Amino acid sequence: MTPAEIEAVCQRAFGTGVVPVTAVELGYAGYNSVYRVDLAGRDEPVVLRVAPEESAQFGSERHLMRNEYAAVPWLAVVAELMPRVLAVDWSHAVVDRDWMIQTCLPGVPAPDGLGRYPRSGRTTFFRQLGAITHSVHAVRGPYFGRVDGPAYSSWSEVVIASFTQIAADLEHVGLDAEDVRTAATLAARGRAKLDEIQEPRLLTGDLWTVNCLLDPKAPEPVISGVLDFDRAEFGDPAADWTIRMAQAKPDEREAFWQTYGALDRTPTALWRATLYEARHLAATRLERHRLNNPEAVRESYEALAKALTELG
């Protein structure tokens, strides 16, 4: 975004007399462009988030910002930790991209702030994250699928459709997606196992350390904000990225389960968990391609092959 475009967006949101004094692009934004903007005459800065151009969005990631906006009322349980939405515009009348302006939460990104504390003290952070995730997963949805739709009547339809869409996106950019299509076939064969999930629950999408802010003055890690629920959907909580990451290593993150609770470890639940891992690997392959990380893309094929073998 150019300074002129940022000024035009701010004037659309707050009036023609509003002038941005500074606009600094923030790190850790993997999808949207994010800016901290100081405005003349306004005591607090705001955060401007701008979606990729329509032509640059994959089908499986289309209009994620609109999905997050639709999810806001459903996230009331964590509203005190979330930024407030001040303005949105999907019209592309000012700039040819979706954009959203939010309040700027105090705090430092958890990947930066956690390093200030001993590893043994970080269990406090993961206990808080477990409690936050549990409260989100307790929210019941009206259907399966992304919050802004399309709505599906069964969880299996969502999982199969997501594999199919990711495969199409990978093939569109010239990557081999045969293994992702195999995963879709295995999901279809296991439809009954997936449809044991009868009640849609709210999933965070990709909540983890990178989406958390910490109170910089606290003597131990204290989560002061949670951000970026653009991949929120209604489905099986076990399919959430947060659950995947909480299981990734046997370290201080194991404290997550003290407040979240135990997972279902039945054979059918374990089969679903392996399928969800395949889904995560397919989605991250696409993200790694978008972020121009070819080595990580190559590594994803071996990891997905292992998951497919376990699925049988």
Side-chain angles (χ1 to χ4, degrees):
M1 291 277 286
T2 67
E5 289 173 326
I6 292 174
E7 180 174 348
V9 165
C10 291
Q11 291 185 352
R12 167 59 70 95
F14 303 115
T16 56
V18 172
V19 178
V21 178
T22 60
V24 179
E25 189 163 9
L26 303 178
Y28 296 113
Y31 188 74
N32 301 305
S33 299
V34 182
Y35 304 86
R36 181 184 186 273
V37 183
D38 290 283
L39 301 169
R42 189 181 181 96
D43 293 336
E44 299 292 332
V46 298
V47 171
L48 168 63
R49 299 171 64 210
V50 186
E53 295 178 354
E54 297 274 319
S55 61
Q57 296 183 30
F58 294 123
S60 59
E61 298 179 327
R62 190 167 181 80
H63 294 156
L64 290 180
M65 187 176 290
R66 301 185 191 189
N67 183 59
E68 178 174 356
Y69 185 62
V72 169
W74 295 96
L75 290 161
V77 68
V78 291
E80 64 179 9
L81 293 172
M82 293 176 59
R84 289 184 295 108
V85 177
L86 302 176
V88 295
D89 190 346
W90 314 147
S91 71
H92 296 197
V94 179
V95 293
D96 193 22
R97 295 160 74 178
D98 289 355
W99 55 266
M100 175 188 295
I101 295 179
Q102 298 172 300
T103 54
C104 185
L105 295 179
V108 297
D112 297 333
L114 281 173
R116 296 178 48 233
Y117 304 98
R119 295 190 71 91
S120 60
R122 298 178 200 174
T123 54
T124 302
F125 170 85
F126 288 105
R127 281 194 294 271
Q128 292 171 72
L129 189 58
I132 291 168
T133 306
H134 178 83
S135 66
V136 173
H137 287 176
V139 176
R140 295 173 173 84
Y143 46 78
F144 291 99
R146 273 182 26 159
V147 178
D148 70 339
Y152 293 89
S153 60
S154 69
W155 178 231
S156 63
E157 290 180 279
V158 175
V159 176
I160 295 166
S162 65
F163 276 124
T164 302
Q165 183 63 73
I166 293 169
D169 288 337
L170 291 167
E171 290 164 352
H172 180 71
V173 297
L175 293 174
D176 181 8
E178 182 179 355
D179 53 354
V180 180
R181 294 201 177 276
T182 298
T185 299
L186 293 172
R189 291 175 183 169
R191 189 184 297 270
K193 297 177 183 178
L194 289 168
D195 288 338
E196 287 185 4
I197 307 302
Q198 292 286 308
E199 187 174 59
R201 297 297 187 104
L202 182 60
L203 279 60
T204 70
D206 60 1
L207 179 64
W208 195 241
T209 56
V210 72
N211 306 117
C212 295
L213 298 175
L214 298 181
D215 180 348
K217 298 180 181 179
E220 59 182 5
V222 173
I223 297 176
S224 60
V226 288
L227 311 166
D228 302 346
F229 290 87
D230 51 4
R231 298 176 190 269
E233 65 177 340
F234 297 118
D236 180 2
D240 212 349
W241 178 256
T242 317
I243 298 302
R244 190 251 193 183
M245 293 303 294
Q247 300 179 86
K249 293 180 181 179
D251 57 16
E252 60 270 15
R253 72 186 69 195
E254 292 183 339
F256 178 95
W257 307 108
Q258 296 174 15
T259 51
Y260 182 83
L263 292 177
D264 182 353
R265 308 303 290 179
T266 61
T268 302
L270 292 173
W271 181 89
R272 286 194 298 266
T274 303
L275 186 69
Y276 299 155
E277 175 64 9
R279 188 181 182 220
H280 290 313
L281 290 168
T284 54
R285 178 185 300 169
L286 191 62
E287 181 178 45
R288 288 165 176 175
H289 172 80
R290 176 165 48 78
L291 298 176
N292 194 29
N293 189 345
E295 182 177 352
V297 169
R298 287 192 294 271
E299 291 172 353
S300 74
Y301 286 93
E302 182 178 348
L304 185 48
K306 179 180 178 182
L308 293 178
T309 299
E310 293 176 7
L311 288 167

